[in-house]
Amino acid sequence: GENVEQHPSTLSVQEGDSAVIKCTYSDSASNYFPWYKQELGKRPQLIIDIRSNVGEKKDQRIAVTLNKTAKHFSLHITETQPEDSAVYFCAEKISGGGADGLTFGKGTHLIIQP
Amino acid sequence: DVKVTQSSRYLVKRTGEKVFLECVQDMDHENMFWYRQDPGLGLRLIYFSYDVKMKEKGDIPEGYSVSREKKERFSLILESASTNQTSMYLCASSPPGETEAFFGQGTRLTVV
């Protein structure tokens, strides 16, 4: 599978501050980039995704940006709250011509300090 | 509401045993996947299937096989369990294309 690098592995921010998690990928054919949130003991769930024909997408306090030239995409969480504490995974997928699985980054443990 | 259900939440097996992990989805999704999740390594794809009786190797297929006899069910098989297969196993399903994958609740397998 293709490589997805995710940084940082752990991120601690004060409640109310912003958090940014970054991912890079290697295959220029990748065209779908979702972000999943996994709370402790629970299953990963999609929080936002972006496709390659879009540079930015926003949903309330969460936004994702994509730079196809540089092959990186980022998750931005503003006004962080305690319930944002979780592990976040970026992923990428090459679509078309049959199915393929998502390739995930190694995850970022986001800690919101009260 | 999409439901992906894994047959067991926790499983303890002995080295050398044949282990079956079952996954069922109720949304008529074409694609189904098996991942394993280990601390610091994220989710790694073991096998996936895009149709009944079809299977494709993921990134770490060694020591595993799969079966998809019906569209809603995707089974992961450990032919001879080993201690390095102790992990959390996550099943997922999705429609084709650039869409969300829905995960099961996970099976924590311990091989002793």
Side-chain angles (χ1 to χ4, degrees):
Chain A
E2 301 304 324
N3 196 34
V4 179
E5 298 285 339
Q6 182 172 348
H7 299 282
S9 57
T10 303
L11 178 60
S12 181
V13 301
Q14 291 292 322
E15 183 178 347
D17 288 350
S18 296
V20 181
I21 303 170
K22 298 181 180 180
C23 287
T24 59
Y25 61 98
S26 56
D27 195 324
S28 56
S30 300
N31 54 10
Y32 176 62
F33 307 92
W35 285 89
Y36 284 78
K37 176 183 180 182
Q38 187 177 28
E39 296 176 6
L40 189 63
K42 296 190 177 179
R43 69 193 75 191
Q45 291 192 296
L46 180 76
I47 54 171
I48 195 166
D49 57 12
I50 192 167
R51 290 163 179 80
S52 58
N53 58 345
V54 176
E56 185 175 356
K57 184 177 178 180
K58 192 172 182 181
D59 182 4
Q60 298 183 334
R61 296 187 298 109
I62 295 172
V64 56
T65 58
L66 171 64
N67 183 326
K68 284 216 77 178
T69 304
K71 296 199 186 95
H72 66 71
F73 56 111
S74 300
L75 178 71
H76 304 253
I77 306 173
T78 59
E79 300 172 22
T80 52
Q81 299 170 6
E83 55 264 35
D84 295 330
S85 292
V87 178
Y88 291 81
F89 294 97
C90 64
E92 60 93 20
K93 184 176 183 181
I94 302 167
S95 292
D100 198 355
L102 290 166
T103 299
F104 285 86
K106 294 183 178 180
T108 296
H109 185 194
L110 177 61
I111 301 164
I112 307 301
Q113 303 278 6
Chain B
D1 215 18
V2 175
K3 279 195 178 164
V4 181
T5 305
Q6 295 180 229
S7 54
S8 304
R9 193 70 192 265
Y10 299 95
L11 213 50
V12 179
K13 296 291 182 180
R14 294 194 182 278
T15 301
E17 274 193 80
K18 190 169 185 176
V19 181
F20 293 85
L21 302 184
E22 307 286 349
C23 176
V24 176
Q25 51 98 2
D26 65 358
M27 282 303 291
D28 202 36
H29 286 165
E30 285 81 358
N31 300 335
M32 295 190 75
F33 311 90
W34 275 106
Y35 289 88
R36 66 176 279 177
Q37 182 175 17
D38 301 287
L41 297 178
L43 286 79
R44 293 180 292 166
L45 182 63
I46 304 171
Y47 267 97
F48 64 96
S49 168
Y50 54 89
D51 201 354
V52 175
K53 297 192 185 294
M54 305 302 290
K55 60 184 179 183
E56 295 284 344
K57 292 181 180 179
D59 299 321
I60 51 164
E62 297 78 18
Y64 303 95
S65 62
V66 290
S67 172
R68 192 158 181 208
E69 296 297 319
K70 294 184 178 181
K71 190 175 185 180
E72 67 270 20
R73 186 179 296 270
F74 192 36
S75 303
L76 180 69
I77 304 156
L78 287 67
E79 296 289 343
S80 177
S82 64
T83 55
N84 63 11
Q85 292 178 310
T86 291
S87 186
M88 171 67 82
Y89 290 87
L90 287 163
C91 173
S93 74
S94 76
E98 304 161 4
T99 59
E100 179 179 359
F102 295 87
F103 284 86
Q105 79 276 24
T107 296
R108 183 164 293 283
L109 173 67
T110 302
V111 183
V112 297

